[in-house]
Amino acid sequence: MSIPTAYQGGTSAAVPDWLNKGDNAWQMISATLVGLQSVPGLVILYGSIVKKKWAVNSAFMALYAFAAVVICWVIWGYKMSFGDKLLPFWGKAGPALGQKFLLKQAALPASTHFHGDGSVETAMITPYYPMASMVWFQCVFAAITVILLAGSVLGRMNIKAWMAFVPLWLTFSYTVGAFSLWGGGFLFQWGVMDYSGGFVIHLSSGIAGFTAAYWVGPRSTKDRERFPPNNVLLTLAGAGLLWMGWAGFNGGDPYTANIDSSMAVLNTNICAATSLLVWTWLDVIFFKKPSVIGAVQGMITGLVCITPGAGLVQGWAAIIMGILSGSVPWFTMMIVHKRWPLLQKIDDTLGVFHTHAVAGLLGGLLTGLFAEPILCSLFLPVANSRGGVYGGSGGIQILKQLVGGGFIIGWNVVVTSIICVVIDKVIPLRMSEEQLLIGDDAVHGEEAYALWGDGEKYDSSKHHGLYSEDTLHYRTTASSGATQVV
Protein backbone atom coordinates (compact mmCIF):
# COMPACT_ATOMS: atom_id res chain seq x y z
CA MET A 1 0.00 0.00 0.00
CA SER A 2 1.24 3.46 -0.79
CA ILE A 3 1.80 5.85 2.14
CA PRO A 4 -0.36 9.03 2.10
CA THR A 5 1.64 12.10 1.10
CA ALA A 6 1.08 13.79 4.46
CA TYR A 7 3.00 10.99 6.22
CA GLN A 8 5.93 10.69 3.85
CA GLY A 9 9.30 11.78 5.13
CA GLY A 10 12.21 13.40 3.34
CA THR A 11 11.43 16.08 0.82
CA SER A 12 7.91 15.21 -0.28
CA ALA A 13 5.56 18.08 -1.04
CA ALA A 14 3.92 17.83 2.38
CA VAL A 15 7.19 17.45 4.31
CA PRO A 16 9.83 19.76 2.78
CA ASP A 17 13.42 19.44 3.94
CA TRP A 18 13.25 22.66 5.98
CA LEU A 19 10.31 21.49 8.11
CA ASN A 20 11.01 20.51 11.71
CA LYS A 21 7.93 18.63 12.88
CA GLY A 22 8.73 19.17 16.56
CA ASP A 23 9.05 22.92 16.16
CA ASN A 24 5.89 23.06 14.07
CA ALA A 25 3.93 21.01 16.60
CA TRP A 26 5.09 23.16 19.52
CA GLN A 27 4.30 26.37 17.68
CA MET A 28 0.75 25.27 16.89
CA ILE A 29 0.27 24.00 20.46
CA SER A 30 1.59 27.30 21.82
CA ALA A 31 -0.79 29.22 19.58
CA THR A 32 -3.68 27.08 20.78
CA LEU A 33 -2.73 27.66 24.43
CA VAL A 34 -2.66 31.43 23.87
CA GLY A 35 -5.98 31.21 22.04
CA LEU A 36 -7.46 29.36 25.02
CA GLN A 37 -6.36 32.22 27.25
CA SER A 38 -8.83 34.40 25.35
CA VAL A 39 -11.53 31.91 24.37
CA PRO A 40 -12.69 30.74 26.82
CA GLY A 41 -10.20 32.09 29.41
CA LEU A 42 -10.87 35.83 29.38
CA VAL A 43 -14.43 35.30 28.17
CA ILE A 44 -15.09 33.39 31.41
CA LEU A 45 -13.02 35.72 33.59
CA TYR A 46 -14.67 38.89 32.27
CA GLY A 47 -18.14 37.40 32.40
CA SER A 48 -17.62 36.35 36.02
CA ILE A 49 -15.62 39.17 37.62
CA VAL A 50 -18.15 41.89 36.76
CA LYS A 51 -21.55 42.69 38.27
CA LYS A 52 -24.24 40.21 37.20
CA LYS A 53 -26.04 42.65 34.94
CA TRP A 54 -22.87 43.06 32.81
CA ALA A 55 -21.85 39.38 32.58
CA VAL A 56 -23.12 38.78 29.04
CA ASN A 57 -21.87 42.09 27.63
CA SER A 58 -18.39 41.69 29.13
CA ALA A 59 -18.00 38.12 27.88
CA PHE A 60 -19.27 39.07 24.43
CA MET A 61 -16.84 41.98 24.09
CA ALA A 62 -14.01 39.48 24.46
CA LEU A 63 -15.56 36.93 22.11
CA TYR A 64 -16.28 39.54 19.42
CA ALA A 65 -12.78 41.00 19.62
CA PHE A 66 -11.19 37.58 19.11
CA ALA A 67 -13.20 36.89 15.96
CA ALA A 68 -12.73 40.38 14.53
CA VAL A 69 -8.96 40.31 15.04
CA VAL A 70 -8.61 36.96 13.25
CA ILE A 71 -10.19 38.32 10.07
CA CYS A 72 -8.39 41.69 10.16
CA TRP A 73 -5.10 39.92 10.87
CA VAL A 74 -5.10 37.65 7.84
CA ILE A 75 -6.39 40.34 5.46
CA TRP A 76 -3.92 43.11 6.35
CA GLY A 77 -2.66 43.05 9.97
CA TYR A 78 -0.03 40.31 9.86
CA LYS A 79 2.10 41.87 7.15
CA MET A 80 1.85 45.29 8.80
CA SER A 81 3.40 43.66 11.87
CA PHE A 82 5.81 41.11 10.40
CA GLY A 83 6.11 41.84 6.70
CA ASP A 84 8.39 43.99 4.56
CA LYS A 85 9.41 47.35 5.99
CA LEU A 86 7.33 50.37 5.00
CA LEU A 87 8.48 52.76 7.74
CA PRO A 88 10.94 52.27 10.64
CA PHE A 89 7.95 51.38 12.81
CA TRP A 90 5.50 49.82 10.33
CA GLY A 91 5.34 47.05 7.75
CA LYS A 92 3.57 47.03 4.38
CA ALA A 93 -0.05 45.93 4.58
CA GLY A 94 -1.18 42.92 2.58
CA PRO A 95 -3.11 39.66 2.81
CA ALA A 96 -1.80 36.47 4.40
CA LEU A 97 -4.29 34.16 2.73
CA GLY A 98 -2.75 32.59 -0.33
CA GLN A 99 -1.47 29.04 -0.43
CA LYS A 100 1.79 30.15 -2.06
CA PHE A 101 2.52 32.44 0.90
CA LEU A 102 1.24 30.26 3.74
CA LEU A 103 2.99 27.00 2.78
CA LYS A 104 6.47 28.41 2.33
CA GLN A 105 9.02 28.47 5.15
CA ALA A 106 8.27 31.11 7.78
CA ALA A 107 10.40 34.24 7.58
CA LEU A 108 10.29 37.77 8.99
CA PRO A 109 11.76 39.75 6.08
CA ALA A 110 12.64 42.91 8.03
CA SER A 111 14.38 41.08 10.88
CA THR A 112 17.90 40.92 9.44
CA HIS A 113 20.12 42.72 11.94
CA PHE A 114 23.01 44.87 10.74
CA HIS A 115 26.23 46.21 12.24
CA GLY A 116 26.78 49.94 12.22
CA ASP A 117 28.86 49.59 9.03
CA GLY A 118 25.97 47.92 7.21
CA SER A 119 27.29 44.37 7.35
CA VAL A 120 24.97 41.60 8.55
CA GLU A 121 25.23 40.78 12.25
CA THR A 122 22.29 38.35 12.54
CA ALA A 123 20.49 36.75 9.61
CA MET A 124 16.76 37.02 9.01
CA ILE A 125 14.52 35.02 11.35
CA THR A 126 13.47 31.86 9.48
CA PRO A 127 11.80 29.27 11.75
CA TYR A 128 11.54 25.66 10.59
CA TYR A 129 7.80 25.59 9.93
CA PRO A 130 5.39 27.16 7.42
CA MET A 131 4.14 30.74 7.38
CA ALA A 132 0.67 29.44 8.29
CA SER A 133 1.95 28.48 11.77
CA MET A 134 3.61 31.88 12.23
CA VAL A 135 0.53 33.81 11.09
CA TRP A 136 -1.74 31.96 13.50
CA PHE A 137 0.70 32.16 16.42
CA GLN A 138 1.02 35.92 16.05
CA CYS A 139 -2.73 36.28 15.48
CA VAL A 140 -3.68 35.01 18.94
CA PHE A 141 -1.23 37.47 20.49
CA ALA A 142 -2.87 40.34 18.66
CA ALA A 143 -6.31 39.12 19.74
CA ILE A 144 -5.52 38.83 23.44
CA THR A 145 -4.03 42.34 23.45
CA VAL A 146 -7.30 43.90 22.35
CA ILE A 147 -9.25 41.73 24.80
CA LEU A 148 -7.03 42.82 27.69
CA LEU A 149 -7.68 46.42 26.69
CA ALA A 150 -11.42 45.76 26.96
CA GLY A 151 -11.04 45.21 30.70
CA SER A 152 -10.71 48.96 31.18
CA VAL A 153 -14.07 49.83 29.58
CA LEU A 154 -16.37 47.03 30.74
CA GLY A 155 -19.77 48.02 32.02
CA ARG A 156 -20.41 51.11 29.91
CA MET A 157 -18.78 51.17 26.45
CA ASN A 158 -21.31 51.05 23.62
CA ILE A 159 -20.98 47.61 22.02
CA LYS A 160 -21.34 49.13 18.54
CA ALA A 161 -18.51 51.55 19.27
CA TRP A 162 -16.43 48.59 20.49
CA MET A 163 -17.12 46.76 17.23
CA ALA A 164 -15.61 49.72 15.35
CA PHE A 165 -12.79 50.24 17.85
CA VAL A 166 -11.29 46.75 17.56
CA PRO A 167 -10.16 46.82 13.89
CA LEU A 168 -9.05 50.46 14.10
CA TRP A 169 -6.90 49.94 17.19
CA LEU A 170 -5.42 46.73 15.83
CA THR A 171 -4.48 48.50 12.60
CA PHE A 172 -3.09 51.77 13.90
CA SER A 173 -1.69 50.82 17.29
CA TYR A 174 -0.93 47.12 17.75
CA THR A 175 0.76 46.63 14.40
CA VAL A 176 3.11 49.54 15.09
CA GLY A 177 4.31 48.13 18.41
CA ALA A 178 4.62 44.61 16.99
CA PHE A 179 6.69 45.68 13.99
CA SER A 180 8.86 48.10 15.96
CA LEU A 181 9.85 45.55 18.63
CA TRP A 182 9.43 42.14 16.98
CA GLY A 183 9.09 42.47 13.22
CA GLY A 184 12.41 44.18 12.46
CA GLY A 185 11.53 47.81 13.20
CA PHE A 186 13.75 50.45 14.77
CA LEU A 187 13.43 49.23 18.39
CA PHE A 188 14.21 45.67 17.29
CA GLN A 189 17.28 46.90 15.43
CA TRP A 190 18.42 48.92 18.45
CA GLY A 191 18.17 45.87 20.70
CA VAL A 192 15.27 46.70 23.01
CA MET A 193 14.36 43.51 24.85
CA ASP A 194 10.78 42.27 24.79
CA TYR A 195 10.88 38.49 24.86
CA SER A 196 7.15 37.89 24.65
CA GLY A 197 5.15 41.09 24.90
CA GLY A 198 5.72 43.05 28.09
CA PHE A 199 5.71 46.19 25.92
CA VAL A 200 3.97 45.04 22.72
CA ILE A 201 1.02 43.45 24.54
CA HIS A 202 0.75 44.43 28.19
CA LEU A 203 2.06 47.99 28.30
CA SER A 204 0.14 48.86 25.15
CA SER A 205 -3.14 47.31 26.32
CA GLY A 206 -2.84 48.92 29.76
CA ILE A 207 -2.11 52.41 28.44
CA ALA A 208 -4.64 52.17 25.59
CA GLY A 209 -7.30 50.81 27.95
CA PHE A 210 -6.72 53.63 30.43
CA THR A 211 -6.85 56.18 27.60
CA ALA A 212 -10.04 54.67 26.17
CA ALA A 213 -11.60 54.67 29.65
CA TYR A 214 -11.01 58.44 29.80
CA TRP A 215 -12.79 59.05 26.49
CA VAL A 216 -15.64 56.63 27.11
CA GLY A 217 -16.33 58.04 30.55
CA PRO A 218 -17.11 56.26 33.83
CA ARG A 219 -19.66 53.61 34.68
CA SER A 220 -22.88 54.70 36.34
CA THR A 221 -22.42 56.05 39.85
CA LYS A 222 -24.24 53.03 41.27
CA ASP A 223 -21.93 50.60 39.48
CA ARG A 224 -18.79 52.43 40.55
CA GLU A 225 -19.89 52.41 44.18
CA ARG A 226 -20.63 48.70 44.18
CA PHE A 227 -19.36 46.25 41.56
CA PRO A 228 -19.16 42.75 43.11
CA PRO A 229 -18.09 39.75 41.01
CA ASN A 230 -21.10 37.65 40.05
CA ASN A 231 -19.20 34.36 40.26
CA VAL A 232 -15.86 34.14 42.06
CA LEU A 233 -15.39 30.44 41.31
CA LEU A 234 -15.76 30.97 37.56
CA THR A 235 -13.39 33.94 37.86
CA LEU A 236 -10.83 31.48 39.21
CA ALA A 237 -11.54 29.10 36.33
CA GLY A 238 -10.87 31.86 33.81
CA ALA A 239 -7.74 32.89 35.70
CA GLY A 240 -6.52 29.29 35.71
CA LEU A 241 -6.86 29.09 31.92
CA LEU A 242 -4.91 32.34 31.70
CA TRP A 243 -2.10 31.00 33.90
CA MET A 244 -1.72 27.62 32.23
CA GLY A 245 -2.07 29.17 28.78
CA TRP A 246 0.95 31.34 29.52
CA ALA A 247 3.14 28.30 28.81
CA GLY A 248 2.35 28.92 25.15
CA PHE A 249 2.46 32.68 25.56
CA ASN A 250 6.10 32.69 26.70
CA GLY A 251 7.20 29.20 25.68
CA GLY A 252 6.42 29.74 22.00
CA ASP A 253 8.34 32.95 21.48
CA PRO A 254 11.75 31.53 20.63
CA TYR A 255 9.86 30.28 17.51
CA THR A 256 11.21 26.81 18.25
CA ALA A 257 11.06 24.05 20.86
CA ASN A 258 14.54 24.69 22.23
CA ILE A 259 16.21 24.98 25.65
CA ASP A 260 15.35 28.67 25.90
CA SER A 261 11.68 27.78 25.54
CA SER A 262 11.94 25.48 28.54
CA MET A 263 13.62 28.20 30.59
CA ALA A 264 10.87 30.64 29.68
CA VAL A 265 8.07 28.31 30.79
CA LEU A 266 9.70 27.58 34.15
CA ASN A 267 10.47 31.25 34.85
CA THR A 268 6.89 32.16 33.99
CA ASN A 269 5.50 29.88 36.66
CA ILE A 270 8.11 30.88 39.25
CA CYS A 271 7.31 34.57 38.87
CA ALA A 272 3.52 34.10 38.78
CA ALA A 273 3.51 31.95 41.93
CA THR A 274 5.77 34.37 43.81
CA SER A 275 3.70 37.37 42.79
CA LEU A 276 0.41 35.72 43.83
CA LEU A 277 1.83 34.91 47.27
CA VAL A 278 3.23 38.40 47.81
CA TRP A 279 -0.05 40.09 46.77
CA THR A 280 -2.05 37.76 49.03
CA TRP A 281 0.15 38.44 52.05
CA LEU A 282 -0.06 42.17 51.48
CA ASP A 283 -3.85 41.85 51.50
CA VAL A 284 -3.67 39.87 54.75
CA ILE A 285 -1.32 42.38 56.37
CA PHE A 286 -3.27 45.49 55.41
CA PHE A 287 -6.87 44.20 55.10
CA LYS A 288 -6.72 41.35 57.65
CA LYS A 289 -8.02 38.78 55.15
CA PRO A 290 -6.83 37.19 51.87
CA SER A 291 -8.79 38.31 48.81
CA VAL A 292 -9.44 35.74 46.09
CA ILE A 293 -9.74 38.50 43.49
CA GLY A 294 -6.55 40.00 44.89
CA ALA A 295 -4.78 36.67 44.39
CA VAL A 296 -5.93 36.65 40.77
CA GLN A 297 -4.58 40.18 40.33
CA GLY A 298 -1.25 39.11 41.81
CA MET A 299 -1.09 36.08 39.53
CA ILE A 300 -1.71 38.29 36.51
CA THR A 301 0.90 40.90 37.45
CA GLY A 302 3.46 38.13 37.91
CA LEU A 303 2.71 36.67 34.49
CA VAL A 304 2.86 40.11 32.92
CA CYS A 305 6.10 41.13 34.63
CA ILE A 306 8.07 38.04 33.60
CA THR A 307 6.83 38.16 30.00
CA PRO A 308 9.44 40.58 28.56
CA GLY A 309 12.28 38.59 30.13
CA ALA A 310 10.93 35.04 30.46
CA GLY A 311 13.73 33.38 28.47
CA LEU A 312 16.38 35.98 29.30
CA VAL A 313 16.67 35.86 33.11
CA GLN A 314 17.74 33.24 35.63
CA GLY A 315 15.40 31.58 38.10
CA TRP A 316 16.54 33.69 41.04
CA ALA A 317 15.80 36.82 39.03
CA ALA A 318 12.31 35.48 38.28
CA ILE A 319 11.69 35.29 42.04
CA ILE A 320 12.84 38.89 42.53
CA MET A 321 10.64 39.98 39.64
CA GLY A 322 7.74 38.12 41.27
CA ILE A 323 8.29 39.89 44.58
CA LEU A 324 8.25 43.26 42.84
CA SER A 325 5.31 42.41 40.56
CA GLY A 326 3.30 41.36 43.60
CA SER A 327 4.08 44.55 45.51
CA VAL A 328 4.58 47.49 43.11
CA PRO A 329 1.25 47.11 41.21
CA TRP A 330 -0.42 46.32 44.56
CA PHE A 331 0.91 49.63 45.88
CA THR A 332 -0.21 51.60 42.82
CA MET A 333 -3.67 49.97 42.90
CA MET A 334 -4.36 49.99 46.63
CA ILE A 335 -2.49 53.13 47.78
CA VAL A 336 -1.64 55.46 44.90
CA HIS A 337 -4.99 54.90 43.18
CA LYS A 338 -6.87 56.09 46.27
CA ARG A 339 -4.76 59.23 46.64
CA TRP A 340 -4.23 60.39 43.05
CA PRO A 341 -7.25 62.29 41.69
CA LEU A 342 -6.41 61.43 38.06
CA LEU A 343 -6.58 57.69 38.72
CA GLN A 344 -9.86 58.08 40.58
CA LYS A 345 -11.36 60.26 37.87
CA ILE A 346 -10.68 57.76 35.09
CA ASP A 347 -12.80 54.66 35.57
CA ASP A 348 -10.57 51.70 34.67
CA THR A 349 -13.05 48.90 35.42
CA LEU A 350 -10.66 46.02 36.12
CA GLY A 351 -7.56 48.08 36.93
CA VAL A 352 -5.82 47.12 33.67
CA PHE A 353 -3.55 50.14 34.08
CA HIS A 354 -2.10 48.59 37.24
CA THR A 355 -2.09 44.92 36.27
CA HIS A 356 -0.77 45.38 32.74
CA ALA A 357 0.71 48.85 32.15
CA VAL A 358 2.50 49.13 35.49
CA ALA A 359 3.48 45.44 35.60
CA GLY A 360 4.50 45.43 31.91
CA LEU A 361 6.73 48.49 32.23
CA LEU A 362 8.18 47.14 35.47
CA GLY A 363 8.98 43.83 33.77
CA GLY A 364 10.59 45.55 30.81
CA LEU A 365 12.87 47.59 33.05
CA LEU A 366 13.75 44.60 35.23
CA THR A 367 14.59 42.63 32.09
CA GLY A 368 17.08 45.36 31.22
CA LEU A 369 18.56 44.83 34.67
CA PHE A 370 18.60 41.02 34.95
CA ALA A 371 18.97 39.73 31.35
CA GLU A 372 21.71 37.09 31.45
CA PRO A 373 24.32 37.25 28.61
CA ILE A 374 24.27 33.56 27.66
CA LEU A 375 20.47 33.46 27.61
CA CYS A 376 20.47 36.66 25.55
CA SER A 377 22.75 35.04 22.99
CA LEU A 378 20.17 32.28 22.51
CA PHE A 379 17.46 34.75 21.56
CA LEU A 380 18.47 38.32 20.78
CA PRO A 381 19.83 39.58 17.43
CA VAL A 382 22.28 42.04 19.03
CA ALA A 383 25.59 40.46 20.02
CA ASN A 384 26.87 40.89 23.59
CA SER A 385 23.45 41.89 24.93
CA ARG A 386 23.23 41.81 28.72
CA GLY A 387 21.39 43.27 31.68
CA GLY A 388 22.71 45.99 33.93
CA VAL A 389 23.81 43.65 36.75
CA TYR A 390 26.23 41.91 34.39
CA GLY A 391 28.27 45.04 33.64
CA GLY A 392 29.76 45.86 30.27
CA SER A 393 27.10 47.25 27.95
CA GLY A 394 24.36 46.37 30.43
CA GLY A 395 23.92 49.94 31.61
CA ILE A 396 22.79 51.14 28.19
CA GLN A 397 20.24 48.33 28.06
CA ILE A 398 18.16 49.93 30.83
CA LEU A 399 18.11 53.16 28.80
CA LYS A 400 16.98 51.19 25.74
CA GLN A 401 14.17 49.66 27.76
CA LEU A 402 13.04 53.08 28.96
CA VAL A 403 12.99 54.44 25.42
CA GLY A 404 11.10 51.39 24.14
CA GLY A 405 8.51 51.70 26.90
CA GLY A 406 8.21 55.44 26.33
CA PHE A 407 7.52 54.95 22.64
CA ILE A 408 4.74 52.42 23.32
CA ILE A 409 3.17 54.70 25.95
CA GLY A 410 3.27 57.82 23.77
CA TRP A 411 1.99 56.11 20.62
CA ASN A 412 -0.92 54.46 22.42
CA VAL A 413 -2.04 57.60 24.22
CA VAL A 414 -2.13 59.60 20.98
CA VAL A 415 -3.52 56.95 18.60
CA THR A 416 -6.11 55.59 21.03
CA SER A 417 -7.34 59.13 21.67
CA ILE A 418 -7.68 59.84 17.96
CA ILE A 419 -9.57 56.58 17.39
CA CYS A 420 -12.00 57.27 20.24
CA VAL A 421 -12.66 60.85 19.10
CA VAL A 422 -13.29 59.74 15.51
CA ILE A 423 -15.64 56.91 16.53
CA ASP A 424 -17.56 59.20 18.87
CA LYS A 425 -18.37 61.46 15.89
CA VAL A 426 -20.29 58.55 14.34
CA ILE A 427 -21.25 56.21 17.20
CA PRO A 428 -21.62 57.24 20.86
CA LEU A 429 -18.77 55.71 22.84
CA ARG A 430 -20.88 55.29 25.95
CA MET A 431 -24.16 53.44 26.40
CA SER A 432 -27.35 55.35 27.03
CA GLU A 433 -28.43 55.98 30.62
CA GLU A 434 -31.25 53.45 30.23
CA GLN A 435 -28.81 50.76 29.11
CA LEU A 436 -26.46 51.59 31.97
CA LEU A 437 -29.32 51.17 34.41
CA ILE A 438 -30.62 47.85 33.05
CA GLY A 439 -27.49 46.15 31.71
CA ASP A 440 -27.37 43.02 29.54
CA ASP A 441 -31.10 42.74 28.95
CA ALA A 442 -31.20 46.23 27.43
CA VAL A 443 -28.02 45.81 25.38
CA HIS A 444 -28.38 42.21 24.16
CA GLY A 445 -31.86 41.08 25.18
CA GLU A 446 -30.14 38.31 27.15
CA GLU A 447 -29.20 37.67 30.76
CA ALA A 448 -26.46 35.51 32.24
CA TYR A 449 -28.48 33.71 34.91
CA ALA A 450 -32.17 32.76 35.21
CA LEU A 451 -32.34 33.34 38.95
CA TRP A 452 -36.13 33.29 39.20
CA GLY A 453 -37.02 30.23 37.20
CA ASP A 454 -36.61 29.32 33.56
CA GLY A 455 -35.72 32.71 32.15
CA GLU A 456 -38.16 34.58 34.37
CA LYS A 457 -37.03 38.13 35.08
CA TYR A 458 -36.95 39.59 38.56
CA ASP A 459 -40.20 41.24 39.61
CA SER A 460 -40.35 42.86 43.06
CA SER A 461 -44.13 42.39 43.24
CA LYS A 462 -43.68 38.62 42.78
CA HIS A 463 -40.55 38.12 44.76
CA HIS A 464 -41.46 40.27 47.74
CA GLY A 465 -38.51 42.65 47.34
CA LEU A 466 -36.23 40.23 49.17
CA TYR A 467 -33.52 40.10 46.54
CA SER A 468 -32.38 42.16 43.62
CA GLU A 469 -29.40 42.29 41.31
CA ASP A 470 -27.72 44.80 43.60
CA THR A 471 -28.42 42.95 46.87
CA LEU A 472 -26.39 40.04 48.18
CA HIS A 473 -27.49 37.45 50.75
CA TYR A 474 -26.54 38.30 54.31
CA ARG A 475 -24.16 41.08 53.32
CA THR A 476 -24.52 44.18 55.46
CA THR A 477 -21.09 45.73 54.92
CA ALA A 478 -19.11 46.43 51.77
CA SER A 479 -16.35 44.01 50.86
CA SER A 480 -12.81 45.23 51.58
CA GLY A 481 -11.06 43.07 49.01
CA ALA A 482 -8.60 44.24 46.37
CA THR A 483 -11.20 44.52 43.65
CA GLN A 484 -13.13 47.31 45.37
CA VAL A 485 -10.88 50.15 44.22
CA VAL A 486 -11.29 49.54 40.48
Side-chain angles (χ1 to χ4, degrees):
M1 295 177 62
S2 61
I3 301 173
T5 303
Y7 296 97
Q8 293 177 17
T11 57
S12 69
V15 189
D17 55 3
W18 47 259
L19 178 67
N20 183 302
K21 291 186 177 181
D23 285 350
N24 193 33
W26 174 239
Q27 210 63 34
M28 289 191 289
I29 290 170
S30 295
T32 302
L33 288 170
V34 179
L36 287 170
Q37 290 182 294
S38 296
V39 182
L42 286 172
V43 170
I44 293 173
L45 192 151
Y46 283 3
S48 306
I49 201 171
V50 296
K51 204 172 189 176
K52 185 183 80 69
K53 72 175 184 180
W54 295 119
V56 172
N57 182 255
S58 300
F60 181 71
M61 286 178 70
L63 183 65
Y64 172 84
F66 190 87
V69 168
V70 171
I71 300 305
C72 296
W73 191 250
V74 296
I75 294 176
W76 68 80
Y78 174 77
K79 287 190 176 180
M80 293 180 74
S81 305
F82 297 96
D84 294 308
K85 176 180 173 182
L86 174 66
L87 298 170
F89 54 85
W90 230 351
K92 297 178 182 178
L97 290 167
Q99 172 182 333
K100 184 177 180 181
F101 175 78
L102 293 174
L103 293 185
K104 69 179 182 179
Q105 183 177 0
L108 307 186
S111 64
T112 305
H113 198 274
F114 299 94
H115 289 291
D117 61 4
S119 59
V120 174
E121 179 178 9
T122 307
M124 181 188 356
I125 296 172
T126 54
Y128 299 114
Y129 45 75
M131 288 295 302
S133 297
M134 176 66 80
V135 171
W136 176 235
F137 178 73
Q138 296 297 350
C139 178
V140 289
F141 276 80
I144 199 172
T145 308
V146 185
I147 295 172
L148 292 172
L149 187 164
S152 293
V153 293
L154 297 180
R156 84 279 197 181
M157 187 172 185
N158 185 341
I159 188 64
K160 295 175 183 176
W162 175 246
M163 293 168 73
F165 180 91
V166 170
L168 289 173
W169 191 84
L170 173 76
T171 302
F172 295 104
S173 185
Y174 181 81
T175 59
V176 170
F179 185 82
S180 297
L181 278 157
W182 289 343
F186 74 108
L187 294 175
F188 174 93
Q189 296 294 336
W190 195 33
V192 176
M193 297 179 181
D194 189 7
Y195 186 89
S196 196
F199 288 167
V200 175
I201 294 173
H202 301 295
L203 182 58
S204 68
S205 63
I207 294 298
F210 192 69
T211 304
Y214 168 79
W215 290 106
V216 174
R219 287 166 288 173
S220 66
T221 302
K222 192 175 181 181
D223 281 358
R224 288 198 78 181
E225 289 174 350
R226 194 164 183 287
F227 205 71
N230 71 82
N231 195 318
V232 174
L233 294 182
L234 276 180
T235 299
L236 286 174
L241 286 167
L242 203 63
W243 187 346
M244 293 300 101
W246 227 281
F249 199 104
N250 287 345
D253 262 296
Y255 298 146
T256 177
N258 64 8
I259 58 174
D260 200 34
S261 178
S262 300
M263 192 75 178
V265 172
L266 180 60
N267 279 338
T268 297
N269 289 281
I270 291 172
C271 188
T274 303
S275 185
L276 185 154
L277 296 176
V278 170
W279 193 296
T280 299
W281 276 107
L282 287 172
D283 274 350
V284 170
I285 292 168
F286 287 93
F287 298 110
K288 310 306 179 188
K289 62 181 72 172
S291 165
V292 175
I293 302 301
V296 171
Q297 303 279 37
M299 175 206 82
I300 291 172
T301 55
L303 293 166
V304 169
C305 185
I306 194 62
T307 290
L312 304 176
V313 303
Q314 298 190 60
W316 59 263
I319 292 179
I320 296 174
M321 293 173 76
I323 293 171
L324 292 172
S325 66
S327 55
V328 174
W330 182 94
F331 179 77
T332 64
M333 179 180 283
M334 306 306 298
I335 307 299
V336 177
H337 186 103
K338 295 178 179 179
R339 299 181 182 180
W340 192 1
L342 175 64
L343 291 177
Q344 290 192 326
K345 180 181 178 182
I346 299 176
D347 182 19
D348 179 2
T349 308
L350 299 185
V352 178
F353 173 80
H354 304 285
T355 57
H356 292 274
V358 172
L361 182 61
L362 175 67
L365 297 178
L366 291 175
T367 297
L369 185 65
F370 293 126
E372 202 277 333
I374 294 176
L375 293 173
C376 288
S377 69
L378 300 176
F379 181 78
L380 293 170
V382 182
N384 301 316
S385 294
R386 64 189 61 230
V389 299
Y390 294 96
S393 59
I396 194 68
Q397 189 63 48
I398 299 175
L399 173 62
K400 290 180 180 181
Q401 299 301 102
L402 277 170
V403 172
F407 172 76
I408 294 296
I409 291 171
W411 186 270
N412 276 279
V413 168
V414 172
V415 172
T416 305
S417 295
I418 293 172
I419 291 171
C420 288
V421 170
V422 170
I423 291 175
D424 198 38
K425 298 293 184 183
V426 183
I427 308 170
L429 285 173
R430 198 164 179 264
M431 295 179 190
S432 67
E433 292 303 319
E434 180 184 14
Q435 289 175 320
L436 290 174
L437 177 65
I438 298 172
D440 289 337
D441 191 39
V443 179
H444 300 281
E446 299 164 316
E447 291 185 335
Y449 306 108
L451 293 180
W452 303 106
D454 189 14
E456 183 183 1
K457 295 183 175 62
Y458 172 76
D459 184 339
S460 59
S461 65
K462 290 182 181 180
H463 305 120
H464 314 296
L466 292 176
Y467 311 108
S468 73
E469 191 272 328
D470 291 321
T471 304
L472 290 180
H473 276 301
Y474 311 115
R475 172 68 63 81
T476 57
T477 57
S479 172
S480 59
T483 190
Q484 301 307 310
V485 302
V486 298

